Amino acid sequence: MRAGFRALLDAEDGIEVVGEAADGRQGLELVRARVPDIALVDVQMPVMTGIETTRRIAADPALSGVRVVILTNYGLDEYVFEALRAGASGFLLKDTEPADLLQAIHVVAGGEALLSPSVTRTLIGEFVARPPDRATPPGLESLTRREREVTALAARGLTNEEIAAHMVISPFTAKTHISRAMTKLGARDRAQLVVFAYESGLVAARDRARGHAE
């Protein structure tokens, strides 16, 4: 499977595969040595899991520019949610069509979260509805009222343009609020911001059905 991915990616203009690893520890060492733009990480690997590998990449300041895309055999599973918590920018199914894989690489390389807002909301809501297994993350008090509002709207699945229309502001201003909230919370991308919104209680999972944020 790795050979297939490598052949596909190497054949694409503008993409170069700079390393390949058989387990999580080796993968982490390669990421530290090569500092790639994107790391495709299997959620289940020998020696070190994909989640732990992702967590260590995200925690290393020297690797702040590395975006992790998780590969999984399943769709909305708890491994994927834990990977997002750990710092992944999104996830792909291993049987993703080649064109979709290439598009995903370009999306993440451009600085965007791989998950669409609606998919992100569904994923987060599915698992945050369960009893929490850890303390509420800090940082909510650092957000302004406007930043809390845009974070809640993003967690409900709204795009920047939809947030702008809802708040009667420009899309640029909406994007600025999102960026500031991400900076204050240390979120690597929009997916991380949505994780925070649900885990902090800013948005409740049941709001998906009601259509509003608390």
Side-chain angles (χ1 to χ4, degrees):
M1 184 169 287
R2 293 203 314 273
F5 282 139
R6 180 165 198 144
L8 173 67
L9 295 171
D10 273 336
E12 177 75 0
D13 290 341
I15 296 179
E16 178 187 2
V17 179
V18 297
E20 180 182 337
D23 61 61
R25 182 172 298 165
Q26 183 183 25
L28 179 61
E29 291 172 355
L30 274 175
V31 168
R32 287 171 172 167
R34 305 290 177 85
V35 194
D37 298 305
I38 307 291
L40 290 177
V41 178
D42 194 337
V43 71
Q44 294 178 309
M45 294 187 292
V47 184
M48 183 188 296
T49 68
I51 293 173
E52 182 59 26
T53 302
T54 299
R55 185 176 292 113
R56 296 193 187 194
I57 291 173
D60 190 337
L63 304 178
S64 60
V66 178
R67 294 291 175 260
V68 176
V69 175
I70 293 290
L71 295 169
T72 176
N73 286 320
Y74 309 101
L76 303 180
D77 64 14
E78 197 156 7
Y79 288 116
V80 172
F81 180 62
E82 287 302 318
L84 290 175
R85 276 177 165 171
S89 293
F91 75 98
L92 285 171
L93 297 179
K94 290 181 182 178
D95 60 358
T96 295
E97 292 295 325
D100 293 334
L101 173 63
L102 294 173
Q103 175 63 20
I105 296 298
H106 288 298
V107 166
V108 177
E112 299 296 325
L114 181 56
L115 301 175
S116 67
S118 61
V119 172
T120 302
R121 178 190 59 189
T122 301
L123 177 67
I124 303 306
E126 172 72 20
F127 296 106
V128 180
R130 303 176 184 181
D133 56 4
R134 65 180 189 176
T136 298
L140 186 62
E141 68 282 352
S142 69
L143 301 183
T144 65
R145 180 181 62 82
R146 287 298 234 183
E147 289 164 355
R148 290 189 188 198
E149 187 174 357
V150 298
T151 298
L153 291 172
R156 286 171 49 196
L158 275 66
T159 64
N160 287 346
E161 289 73 19
E162 291 169 337
I163 291 172
H166 182 89
M167 297 178 65
V168 196
I169 57 178
S170 71
F172 176 80
T173 300
K175 184 177 180 180
T176 298
H177 285 315
I178 289 286
S179 296
R180 288 176 178 170
M182 287 171 55
T183 298
K184 289 181 178 180
L185 299 173
R188 291 167 65 91
D189 55 30
R190 195 184 191 97
Q192 293 292 297
L193 191 65
V194 174
V195 170
F196 172 86
Y198 280 100
E199 290 197 319
S200 68
L202 183 63
V203 174
R206 63 181 180 276
D207 290 335
R208 290 178 299 144
R210 287 210 306 253
H212 71 273
E214 293 184 340

